Amino acid sequence: MAAKLGLNEQQKLALDKELKAAQTERKASMEKMRALREEMKRDAFVERQAKEERLKEILTEEQYTKLKEASKNGQRSRIQDQRNEGEIRGRANRNESRFSPQNNRRNIGRRMIIKKRVAEMKERAKEKNEPKKDGGN
């Protein structure tokens, strides 16, 4: 890289120092983020356990078992729905993407502009077709 940039020795040393410092900072930042992720996972686990305990205090054992079973079935059906949706999407008409909500959001502004322009054009057409009321020939 030094040859491509045409760096002298002093610049090479300064650039190497800067790049190594940036790499060290990046590694430290990544390590900090990793630690935060782990902490968040632990916190979420503790919260889930506390929620489970609160539910056990409120519900009977039988009710709690039914709740767990229902949530498992609900989770399974959501996962199955997502899988089926993916399969259908894979075989779907390729033009389907034109009607996606994301494209609709993009097109809303265009449609509004077009409506406005059409209204302006109709107004101009009316003005041209109306006879003048100023008493002229």
Side-chain angles (χ1 to χ4, degrees):
M1 179 162 54
K4 280 185 179 180
L5 297 175
L7 302 177
N8 61 32
E9 287 302 316
Q10 185 181 11
Q11 288 176 318
K12 284 182 194 177
L13 292 173
L15 183 62
D16 282 345
K17 183 179 177 183
E18 183 61 34
L19 291 176
K20 284 182 183 179
Q23 183 182 23
T24 306
E25 286 177 20
R26 202 168 37 253
K27 282 183 180 180
S29 176
M30 293 301 288
E31 191 60 40
K32 183 179 176 184
M33 291 304 226
R34 189 175 296 120
L36 283 172
R37 261 194 317 272
E38 291 300 319
E39 185 179 335
M40 289 173 66
K41 283 182 183 178
R42 280 192 303 273
D43 289 349
F45 178 77
V46 168
E47 277 295 315
R48 279 195 306 274
Q49 293 300 318
K51 178 184 166 194
E52 294 294 316
E53 290 302 317
R54 289 190 304 267
L55 288 174
K56 284 180 181 179
E57 289 174 5
I58 296 169
L59 304 173
T60 66
E61 235 179 273
E62 187 179 299
Q63 291 169 331
Y64 181 75
T65 306
K66 285 180 183 178
L67 177 68
K68 284 307 228 181
E69 198 59 39
S71 68
K72 282 182 184 177
N73 289 338
Q75 206 170 26
R76 282 188 201 129
S77 68
R78 279 193 303 271
I79 290 169
Q80 191 63 40
D81 289 346
Q82 289 171 353
R83 286 181 184 158
N84 289 339
E85 189 177 309
E87 289 173 14
I88 292 168
R89 212 181 280 145
R91 289 185 237 131
N93 183 352
R94 296 196 192 277
N95 290 330
E96 188 177 288
S97 65
R98 292 186 322 187
F99 306 108
S100 72
Q102 193 173 26
N103 283 337
N104 284 341
R105 275 186 242 119
R106 274 191 228 129
N107 291 331
I108 287 173
R110 291 181 189 147
R111 280 189 251 139
M112 290 174 66
I113 291 170
I114 290 171
K115 281 182 182 179
K116 196 181 220 182
R117 287 182 183 163
V118 166
E120 289 172 358
M121 289 170 56
K122 284 181 180 177
E123 189 65 36
R124 285 190 207 130
K126 279 184 185 177
E127 289 174 2
K128 286 183 180 178
N129 292 335
E130 286 180 3
K132 295 187 178 182
K133 296 180 183 176
D134 59 355
N137 292 342

